[in-house]
Amino acid sequence: MPMPVYSPDEIRTMEHVCQLAAQALYHTGKFVRPGITTDELDVIANDFMLSKGAKSACIGYHGYPKYTCTSVNEVICHGVPDGTILKEGDIINIDVTALKDGFFGDTSATFYVGQVSDEARRITEAAKEAMMVGINAIGKDATTGDIGFAINKYATKMGYHVVREIGGHGIGRKFHDEPFVPSFGKKGRGDRLRPGGMITVEPMINQTATGMIDHEIPGSTVQWYTTADKCLSAQFEHTVLITEEGARILTGY
Ligand code: MF3
Ligand code: CO
Ligand code: CO
C-alpha cells in the first residue's frame, strides 16, 4: 500500500491540529524545571489540548495509559509519565500527539531541566539537527531512504548512534500509517514520498551503540525503551507535509 494522500481541505485540518500539538508542546515545555513530576507535565499538556478542543491521541492507544510520553535521560521513547521528579541536569523528551476533527498531529522535543552538562546539551542539539537534516533531505521525488541516509550520516559524523528499530511514520487520519521512516538507509531506497502525503521525522540518537532494552507497560501492547548501558538518548519530532518540491513542517512553532 502506498502512502495516503490528502485533499487541500484535509491538509488544512491537519495544519490546524499540528499547530495545536506544537502549541501544547511549547506550553508544556515552559513548565520543565527541577522538582516537577512527569505526571504533572502530562496533565499540563492534556489540559492545554482539551482547552483547544483537541484530545490526546495517546491515552487508550493500544492500551497506553497516559496523555503524553515523557522520556528522561536514558529513556529512548514512550516513557510513561509517573511520579518521577525531574532533577537539575536531566534531559526530557516530551512527545505530544493531538487528535482533532479526525486528524493526528505528532511532535516532540527534548528539554533541559535546569542547567545540563555540555554532553547532554551536545546530544540534544544533535538530535534536533538530525531531525532537520532529515526533513531537508526531502526533495523532489524523495524516498524514505533519502531521509534515513541523511540522518544517519549526520549522527555518525557527530559521534552518535541512531536507533534503527523505531522511526517516523505516515500520519493523517491514522496515527501510525505507512510508510515507516527509518533513521538510516540508502539514497533512493525505501518508499517514495507522495505530494499531499504526511509523515513524521523523529530520529532517536544515542551516545553509544549499546542497543536497547524494552519494557512492558501493564495493560498495554506499547513498550517503552531504554539504552542498554543507560547512556543518554535524545529525540525531536515534526509532522511534515510532502509537497511537489520537498517538505513543509506542520508542527513548527
Ligand atoms: N507519539 C509517538 C510517536 O511519535 C507514539 C506514542 S504511542 C503511545 O509515534 F501509545 F505511546 F502514546
Ligand atoms: Co510519531
Ligand atoms: Co510522537
Side-chain angles (χ1 to χ4, degrees):
M1 274 284 284
M3 71 189 289
V5 297
Y6 292 96
S7 71
D9 268 355
E10 290 173 314
I11 290 166
R12 269 188 286 280
T13 309
M14 265 303 273
E15 285 169 346
H16 179 62
V17 68
C18 285
Q19 279 301 299
L20 292 186
Q23 288 167 12
L25 177 63
Y26 178 80
H27 173 78
T28 308
K30 287 192 295 195
F31 291 84
V32 172
R33 57 178 160 76
I36 198 163
T37 68
T38 52
D39 260 340
E40 287 170 321
L41 294 171
D42 191 49
V43 168
I44 288 166
N46 188 52
D47 286 349
F48 185 93
M49 286 188 274
L50 292 177
S51 77
K52 301 291 179 184
K55 281 188 354 181
S56 158
C58 294
I59 191 158
Y61 182 74
H62 298 291
Y64 187 79
K66 296 291 169 107
Y67 303 111
T68 63
C69 300
T70 52
S71 302
V72 180
N73 296 337
E74 74 275 11
V75 181
I76 295 171
C77 69
H78 301 168
V80 182
D82 61 10
T84 299
I85 300 167
L86 296 181
K87 57 181 197 310
E88 183 96 17
D90 287 343
I91 58 172
I92 177 175
N93 175 279
I94 303 175
D95 192 335
V96 172
T97 310
L99 169 61
K100 188 168 190 283
D101 303 326
F103 287 86
F104 293 86
D106 190 4
T107 184
S108 84
T110 299
F111 298 91
Y112 304 135
V113 182
Q115 293 295 321
V116 306
S117 68
D118 288 348
E119 181 44 31
R121 200 173 289 272
R122 198 175 97 88
I123 190 171
T124 301
E125 283 175 8
K128 186 173 195 175
E129 185 61 18
M131 173 187 69
M132 291 312 302
V133 159
I135 293 169
N136 290 331
I138 306 173
K140 207 173 163 35
D141 296 324
T143 67
T144 55
D146 296 342
I147 301 172
F149 175 80
I151 290 172
N152 193 31
K153 185 176 163 196
Y154 174 76
T156 304
K157 186 183 92 182
M158 295 300 289
Y160 296 124
H161 305 268
V162 300
V163 171
R164 302 174 84 92
E165 296 86 343
I166 322 167
H169 47 90
I171 188 165
R173 279 195 193 276
K174 273 178 75 177
F175 189 171
H176 291 108
D177 210 333
E178 291 183 49
F180 176 64
V181 182
S183 299
F184 66 96
K186 290 195 167 76
K187 282 187 191 173
R189 299 286 190 86
D191 298 305
R192 192 156 299 278
L193 301 172
R194 303 170 69 197
M198 288 164 297
I199 60 168
T200 72
V201 178
E202 51 176 306
M204 295 156 216
I205 306 291
N206 296 348
Q207 280 178 308
T208 72
T210 176
M212 58 187 207
I213 300 178
D214 36 276
H215 307 264
E216 302 298 321
I217 300 170
S220 176
T221 52
V222 177
Q223 294 179 312
W224 61 286
Y225 303 91
T226 55
T227 57
D229 63 0
K230 294 199 159 67
C231 71
L232 290 177
S233 183
Q235 182 189 18
F236 283 78
E237 173 176 24
H238 273 314
T239 297
V240 307
L241 169 70
I242 307 303
T243 67
E244 292 292 345
E245 301 309 317
R248 182 156 65 80
I249 294 171
L250 300 181
T251 46
Y253 186 82

